[in-house]
Amino acid sequence: MRKLWLGAVSLIALAGCASIKAPSIPFFSSLPEGVTLIEESKAESGKVKIPYSKYELDNGLTVILSPDDSDPLVHVDVTYHVGSAREEVGKSGFAHFFEHMMFQGSENVGDQEHFKIITEAGGTLNGTTNRDRTNYFQTIPSNQLEKILWLESDRMGFLLDAVSQRKFEIQRDTVKNERAQNFDNRPYGLMWERMAEAMYEEGHPYSWQTIGYVEDLDRVDVNDLKAFFLRWYGPNNAVLTIGGDINVDETLEWVNKYFGSIPRGPEVESAPKQPAQLNEDRYIVLEDRIQQPMVMIGWPTQYRGHESKASVDALANSLGQGTNSFLYQNLVKTQKAVDAGAFQDCAELACNFYVYAMAPSGDNANLEPLYNELLNTLEQFEREGVPQSRLDQITGMAEADAVFALQSVRGKVSRLASNQTFYGQPDRIEDQLDQIRAVTPESVMQAYQAFVQDQHKVTLSIVPRGRLDLVAHEATFVTPPRTLPEYVKVNETQLEYRKAVDDFDRSVMPEVADSVKAQMPDLYDVYFDNGAELLGTYTSETPTVQIDIRLPAGERHVRKGKEGLANLTAA
């Protein structure tokens, strides 16, 4: 990082540099038994890359290591390729339910001890679930790495014996409360559930939300949850990604020790791509406890990784990103809407494109004029398209977002884990940048014509309760009653446990390694004759330059009676 100080003016610069290409698969003779090197990727001159090495254990666990000694930190991510899309009809919410259960203790880790151990070590942790994956991650001082691997491996291989009916019932109540708080009783909280039910046919893996339905949670017991875990949470359906201040050889030894004995789970096949298919326009209505009505229109597109994705993203940005966008100029700037935008919601099996507008409360709350304004704006785009100058702005921002995400060890590890899970290729940043740069005004228009122009859509009107007179269009679709299969209870005898056999005592928590020490990067200092000072440093982590200029002129320098002048000047 290059940090510059100009006298009373300071500048910080982050400069990237070139690196050398190495053979893709070098020869390693020191790998632990049971660990196979799959590939190695080194930094390359002129390319944005995350250096990593990828391994596979005999039980199918994929391991990705990405050393980075810039800070004495390590980020550990365990991603399971299972989300709500792998659930059965009538048993929704299991993937998210297990996100809760995985923090409730395992055979050698007590209840809530996972949180306690990591926070006492000075680390942070969390877990998230979406339609396609569940991940658990923590950032810790590098001397705590072995302890974290012990914790993660214990809940991968030794969880079920610690899952009791009592814990199940406690977490079921917690999940139901979470649904009530974040969905049922939150303004606009049910909009995505209603949109999904209208966008996808019943039984489609995206037709229900990750949180699940309360009626499904109410009719299952702890053995249903255990069966779900045994089906999907094997090492061969997981990616362990570790980045930061690590010793690769030592880390591989620990990974093999703690994860290598966990038996392989059932084989997992990739789910087929299933973009939504509409044979009619559908209009739906949600009455909610709100003051400001909202209209949203959605069209099916393709799926994550499809060649059209970057062009559809650019279409969304040209329509709805920033003050130069069509929707801002036509709806927000004119005060017809308090908010308006466009975006593509993309997932592994299907993607959708949306435009929306939120009406002001009071006399101008009618959604029909806003709905017509949205359609008129789309017609304007159809006539004018996106100029190259505007597309250059959009492309530049997309490139910057992709690169800036790599400026932390967590950002790099998260990117490697996600790309391996969904594409089998940990580092896709150059491919992603190539796709962004390949977008043209013509490809954006082609995306518009393929997915929006004259295509069937779902339109949702969200209005205050009892104000159906405000809807954009009367409802033509109402979610039908769910068709639930007969519930078949899972007996304990049907569960096929897979227990690891170790040559060490897992009940003993690993000791902490030697203490860590942060090191400031070398700085250079330059003084100029005019009194300015330049302070800087250099890093090769990302190909970026960051400059920070500081002036000794704040609010305390403003004369009385002109308060706010400094902020106004800066703005």
Side-chain angles (χ1 to χ4, degrees), residues 31-262:
L31 288 177
E33 185 177 353
V35 179
T36 303
L37 176 67
I38 303 302
E39 63 180 0
E40 187 173 60
S41 177
K42 297 286 189 181
E44 292 184 37
S45 176
K47 291 188 176 182
V48 184
K49 298 194 69 173
I50 311 174
Y52 69 89
S53 50
K54 183 169 79 171
Y55 308 84
E56 186 174 300
L57 305 191
D58 285 349
N59 59 10
L61 177 67
T62 299
V63 180
I64 301 171
L65 303 183
S66 181
D68 175 1
D69 61 1
S70 58
D71 296 300
L73 296 174
V74 174
H75 188 78
V76 179
D77 179 293
V78 180
T79 296
Y80 295 90
H81 197 172
V82 55
S84 57
R86 294 291 195 176
E87 296 162 351
E88 301 174 29
V89 174
K91 294 185 177 181
S92 63
F94 274 25
H96 173 253
F97 201 146
F98 244 105
E99 180 197 320
H100 285 251
M101 295 302 299
M102 292 280 264
F103 288 105
Q104 300 309 305
S106 48
E107 185 173 319
N108 300 295
V109 182
D111 297 358
Q112 303 296 327
E113 281 293 303
H114 204 111
F115 287 100
K116 183 173 182 289
I117 291 170
I118 293 178
T119 53
E120 285 183 349
T124 59
L125 72 160
N126 211 336
T128 65
T129 308
N130 64 25
R131 292 165 287 189
D132 305 308
R133 63 100 185 102
T134 304
N135 70 340
Y136 303 91
F137 50 90
Q138 41 264 305
T139 306
I140 35 88
S142 54
N143 61 346
Q144 303 282 342
L145 176 57
E146 185 181 7
K147 186 187 296 183
I148 301 307
L149 297 178
W150 170 74
L151 284 169
E152 285 290 359
S153 65
D154 207 63
R155 61 181 176 185
M156 177 186 285
F158 298 85
L159 180 79
L160 293 189
D161 284 341
V163 175
S164 63
Q165 183 69 30
R166 179 177 174 276
K167 286 184 182 179
F168 169 83
E169 291 171 357
I170 291 173
Q171 291 308 312
R172 173 162 58 186
D173 287 343
T174 302
V175 172
K176 289 163 66 174
N177 287 337
E178 182 180 341
R179 177 181 167 101
Q181 180 179 352
N182 294 333
F183 295 84
D184 299 332
N185 295 316
R186 172 173 288 186
Y188 312 98
L190 291 173
M191 59 184 289
W192 292 116
E193 185 166 272
R194 298 295 172 82
M195 284 295 289
E197 291 169 348
M199 184 71 71
Y200 301 104
E201 295 303 313
E202 184 179 18
H204 189 286
Y206 289 171
S207 63
W208 59 85
Q209 298 301 289
T210 303
I211 192 70
Y213 293 105
V214 170
E215 61 185 319
D216 291 355
L217 296 172
D218 280 340
R219 73 177 192 156
V220 299
D221 66 15
V222 67
N223 287 335
D224 293 288
L225 204 66
K226 288 182 178 181
F228 186 80
F229 179 88
L230 290 169
R231 175 65 186 91
W232 299 109
Y233 286 78
N236 50 306
N237 197 35
V239 177
L240 169 63
T241 310
I242 307 169
D245 188 16
I246 62 174
N247 178 296
V248 170
D249 293 337
E250 183 180 52
T251 302
L252 282 176
E253 290 284 353
W254 288 337
V255 168
N256 196 42
K257 173 182 177 179
Y258 293 109
F259 289 89
S261 62
I262 300 174

Side-chain angles (χ1 to χ4, degrees), residues 408-434:
S408 69
V409 64
R410 174 177 172 177
K412 285 181 276 195
V413 167
S414 298
R415 183 68 61 87
L416 291 170
S418 177
N419 286 336
Q420 174 60 34
T421 300
F422 296 122
Y423 302 103
Q425 179 186 350
D427 184 14
R428 299 182 68 252
I429 183 68
E430 274 293 323
D431 291 343
Q432 181 184 354
L433 293 174
D434 288 343

Side-chain angles (χ1 to χ4, degrees), residues 350-398:
C351 302
N352 299 310
F353 174 77
Y354 297 98
V355 296
Y356 70 92
M358 181 176 286
S361 56
D363 297 336
N364 297 321
N366 198 327
L367 290 179
E368 185 176 0
L370 272 188
Y371 172 74
N372 292 329
E373 286 287 348
L374 287 174
L375 297 184
N376 291 338
T377 301
L378 292 174
E379 291 177 1
Q380 179 187 356
F381 177 85
E382 187 178 327
R383 295 190 303 270
E384 300 177 9
V386 55
Q388 185 64 54
S389 58
R390 171 66 175 146
L391 186 58
D392 290 341
Q393 295 176 346
I394 294 169
T395 300
M397 288 186 289

